[in-house]
Amino acid sequence: MDGLFAVYKPQGVHWKHVRDSIESNLLKALNSCPPPAPQLAVQFQLLSSGENSSSSKDLALSPTMVPTLADHPLVTGPQFHKVHVGVGHRLDAFSSGVLVLGVGKGNGVVKVCYILYDYTLEGEFGKATDNFTDTGRVIEKTTYNHVTQDKLERVLAMIQGANQKALITYSQVDLRTQEAYELAVRGLLYPLGKSPPILMGLRCIHFNPPHFSLEVQCVNETQKYLRKLIHEVGLELRTCAVCSGVRRTRDGPFKVENALTRQYWTADSIIQAIAHFHKTTRRIRKSGMYRQTAGQMNSRAEVQEQIRSQTGQSEQINRDEFSSSASDTVVDRETPVTMSEGRTKPC
């Protein structure tokens, strides 16, 4: 049993508790399986005097097969003592949503850096707290009657524009090249190496003051950064805002529809989930890194190679055109000289 699967972590539960619960359920299921048949050993037994027809001085031994007790569960205890479950991009206790876990060989894949995460953020206007959540200590209260959905969307567009500039900067692509244009059109721009949190998408999906909801697509983020984002949105609107919920709806290829809720944290459901994502796990293991889709890195490499080949062809065409134009110029310059030499002098 090895591979990746996703569970839904409830709000208010630490990710370690989720991992320990799943490890305990898997361990109970493995140890509840019937033990293998015991090994047999040859044992010699003495025959009784009635069965022995010879003299009493001769001993008769009868070989028999008896099960050995060295491998008996009452002697060795449970067959399995530990099941290691790896955790991918973690969620803090305040957040909820998709949490990717790995078992067996999946532990080496679950640590792979997934590039894109989707979140739904719940916000509330009118107050500010010390930890940007609605359960923190209130440090300020303000009015929010002047906030409209149009103003909120303009602020979100401004924040997304600043993050798009940061994305281009950390993607290490020259804006003046055809490569940058092609990658931007195909949506293959992503930061290379280490970078600060970058918002790939940001929009309002619900607005009912003082409550509102945002849909966020981001990379290299933390849940604390997302809660602070709600606070900064409130400041841009000249009010205050706190985050009342952070919910991850997608972690790479794992969506919230595929996540196992608490009542399905059983061995049978986990095995079915691992089998469902078997092909995805194999692609991740082969590529070594996952980028928004399994073939995104190859797509970007293909785009770069295609752009280089097109650039090389255009340079060759320009070279040929320049050579032909230069030869034409030489001919044009030499032609008048030849004509002047052929002229006859006037009488």
Side-chain angles (χ1 to χ4, degrees):
M1 182 173 58
D2 56 351
L4 299 177
F5 63 98
V7 298
Y8 189 90
K9 190 193 84 66
Q11 185 177 2
V13 179
H14 199 275
W15 64 267
K16 290 184 179 179
H17 178 70
V18 176
R19 181 199 60 187
D20 295 343
S21 300
I22 293 176
E23 286 182 350
S24 177
N25 294 340
L26 290 177
L27 197 60
K28 290 179 181 178
L30 290 174
N31 289 323
S32 63
C33 297
Q39 297 181 358
L40 300 178
V42 179
Q43 184 177 2
F44 294 92
Q45 297 179 350
L46 291 174
L47 295 177
S48 61
S49 58
E51 297 175 354
N52 188 6
S53 59
S54 61
S55 62
S56 60
K57 294 181 179 180
D58 297 331
L59 298 178
L61 299 178
S62 174
T64 57
M65 302 295 293
V66 296
T68 59
L69 300 179
D71 298 332
H72 196 276
L74 296 179
V75 177
T76 61
Q79 185 177 2
F80 300 94
H81 301 274
K82 178 65 176 178
V83 176
H84 180 64
V85 176
V87 183
H89 195 56
R90 300 168 182 173
L91 288 170
D92 56 20
F94 181 79
S95 307
S96 62
V98 180
L99 182 65
V100 180
L101 305 175
V103 181
K105 294 181 180 179
N107 290 322
V109 185
V110 73
K111 296 298 182 181
V112 171
C113 179
Y114 298 97
I115 193 65
L116 190 61
Y117 305 92
D118 291 358
Y119 288 88
T120 300
L121 308 181
E122 302 291 337
E124 181 180 355
F125 292 119
K127 62 180 180 179
T129 59
D130 56 349
N131 60 356
F132 311 121
T133 66
D134 58 343
T135 58
R137 182 173 60 87
V138 178
I139 58 178
E140 185 180 359
K141 288 188 176 182
T142 57
T143 59
Y144 55 87
N145 297 329
H146 62 284
V147 178
T148 62
Q149 187 171 359
D150 293 337
K151 293 181 179 179
L152 175 60
E153 290 179 349
R154 284 199 296 267
V155 170
L156 297 181
M158 178 189 65
I159 295 175
Q160 185 176 357
N163 281 265
Q164 288 294 331
K165 293 181 180 178
L167 174 63
I168 295 173
T169 301
Y170 285 99
S171 62
Q172 302 178 7
V173 177
D174 190 2
L175 287 177
R176 298 170 296 181
T177 60
Q178 182 69 16
E179 176 186 356
Y181 174 77
E182 295 290 341
L183 293 175
V185 168
R186 301 190 184 189
L188 298 177
L189 279 178
Y190 53 83
L192 298 178
K194 294 183 179 180
S195 69
I198 298 178
L199 302 179
M200 308 283 288
L202 180 63
R203 68 187 186 97
C204 178
I205 58 176
H206 175 72
F207 185 79
N208 186 17
H211 304 284
F212 64 98
S213 302
L214 304 180
E215 186 180 67
V216 181
Q217 293 180 345
C218 49
V219 295
N220 300 334
E221 89 298 337
T222 60
Q223 287 80 53
K224 184 178 180 181
Y225 167 79
L226 296 176
R227 291 192 289 269
K228 188 177 179 181
L229 175 64
I230 297 293
H231 174 72
E232 293 178 350
V233 169
L235 294 180
E236 292 292 338
L237 291 170
R238 296 186 178 183
T239 182
C240 295
V242 293
C243 182
S244 57
V246 177
R247 180 172 177 259
R248 184 192 291 166
T249 58
R250 186 163 74 96
D251 186 342
F254 301 92
K255 299 181 180 180
V256 68
E257 296 85 4
N258 310 122
L260 302 176
T261 54
R262 178 175 290 182
Q263 62 267 27
Y264 294 103
W265 293 355
T266 59
D268 295 336
S269 300
I270 291 174
I271 291 174
Q272 293 178 4
I274 291 175
H276 178 72
F277 287 101
H278 176 69
K279 293 182 179 179
T280 303
T281 306
R282 186 171 55 185
R283 287 199 300 265
I284 296 173
R285 189 182 294 117
K286 287 182 179 180
S287 63
M289 183 166 289
Y290 187 86
R291 300 288 187 181
Q292 186 178 359
T293 57
Q296 191 175 29
M297 294 182 65
N298 296 331
S299 299
R300 177 165 181 171
E302 292 174 358
V303 171
Q304 292 175 347
E305 186 64 26
Q306 183 179 1
I307 294 171
R308 291 192 187 98
S309 62
Q310 292 176 356
T311 305
Q313 293 176 0
S314 61
E315 290 178 355
Q316 183 66 28
I317 293 173
N318 293 334
R319 248 189 250 109
D320 297 340
E321 291 178 353
F322 177 78
S323 301
S324 61
S325 61
S327 60
D328 293 341
T329 305
V330 172
V331 171
D332 292 341
R333 287 178 181 176
E334 292 177 352
T335 302
V337 176
T338 306
M339 291 176 64
S340 63
E341 291 177 352
R343 283 179 191 163
T344 56
K345 296 180 180 181
C347 298

